[in-house]
Amino acid sequence: MEGFLVALVVSFGVIFVAELGDKSQLMALTFATRFRTVPVLIGITIATAVVHLASVAIGYGLNAALPTGWISLIAGLAFLVFGAWTLRGDKLTEEEKRKAERSTKSAIVAVGVAFFLAELGDKTMLATITLATKYGWFGTWLGSTLGMVAADALAILVGRMLGRHLPERAIRYGAAVLFAICGLWLIFEAITELN
């Protein structure tokens, strides 16, 4: 039990700190401007749990690597599309607005897929792989997942507080810029890794 707690606490702390200022926080904040908070957090949690499970499997047993360069490139291009889509803006009828508020499945899928792709090969994945080579897999997995979700939830909370004081147009432009930054960041990482 002691080994589990050490792995949990160390992994939580390392990943929480590594996540501060990371592109994932920008992504969480950006998605929270488009979707309700709970579906965004569910999508982040699912994607993080899956990526970090793969990370501990690699670190603990496989010592293999994923082809993260191409995945980052695809994710980066997807984020540029998200940015353009956000900038263009969508107009919803009142019925569509009510339906969007009730429907969380598409938000969870969109956020989950984006986070899954963005986290493959990210520093938090590499940190989790490293931690899993030293500590037990379950504590490392749980701690790293909780640490990342906590850091991204913090970004959403701060973003929501700021969002109450900003006009909708500024939020839309800001979200588009954040999506573009995330996309360019992922493309840059992919190009560096593929060279």
Side-chain angles (χ1 to χ4, degrees):
M1 183 66 168
E2 185 179 317
F4 167 78
L5 288 176
V6 169
L8 178 73
V9 171
V10 169
S11 297
F12 179 91
V14 166
I15 299 304
F16 182 85
V17 170
E19 189 66 8
L20 295 176
D22 191 61
K23 68 179 179 279
S24 302
Q25 279 194 314
L26 294 175
M27 288 170 43
L29 176 63
T30 304
F31 275 117
T33 65
R34 292 192 60 85
F35 303 115
R36 294 181 316 161
T37 303
V38 172
V40 171
L41 285 175
I42 291 171
I44 290 170
T45 303
I46 292 169
T48 301
V50 171
V51 168
H52 287 198
L53 187 59
S55 301
V56 296
I58 292 167
Y60 194 72
L62 300 178
N63 278 333
L66 297 171
T68 57
W70 289 106
I71 294 169
S72 291
L73 183 62
I74 292 167
L77 293 173
F79 273 90
L80 292 178
V81 170
F82 289 152
W85 181 15
T86 301
L87 190 60
R88 185 194 74 170
D90 290 329
K91 299 290 183 206
L92 298 176
T93 66
E94 287 304 313
E95 182 181 338
E96 288 172 327
K97 284 181 186 176
R98 285 192 301 275
K99 195 175 186 181
E101 286 296 314
R102 288 190 308 254
S103 172
T104 59
K105 190 185 289 186
S106 62
I108 292 170
V109 170
V111 173
V113 168
F115 264 80
F116 178 80
L117 291 172
E119 286 305 309
L120 291 178
D122 190 54
K123 68 182 174 193
T124 52
M125 181 182 183
L126 300 175
T128 303
I129 291 170
T130 305
L131 290 167
T133 62
K134 185 171 183 174
Y135 301 101
W137 75 270
F138 186 69
T140 300
W141 171 72
L142 189 59
S144 64
T145 300
L146 292 174
M148 186 162 162
V149 171
D152 291 339
L154 177 65
I156 291 171
L157 179 66
V158 170
R160 288 282 182 201
M161 289 173 23
L162 289 175
R164 289 187 205 126
H165 305 292
L166 295 173
E168 184 180 331
R169 186 175 179 169
I171 291 172
R172 190 173 79 232
Y173 287 144
V177 168
L178 288 175
F179 271 125
I181 289 169
C182 290
L184 293 172
W185 191 335
L186 285 166
I187 290 169
F188 175 75
E189 285 179 352
I191 290 170
T192 343
E193 189 174 322
L194 292 172
N195 284 334

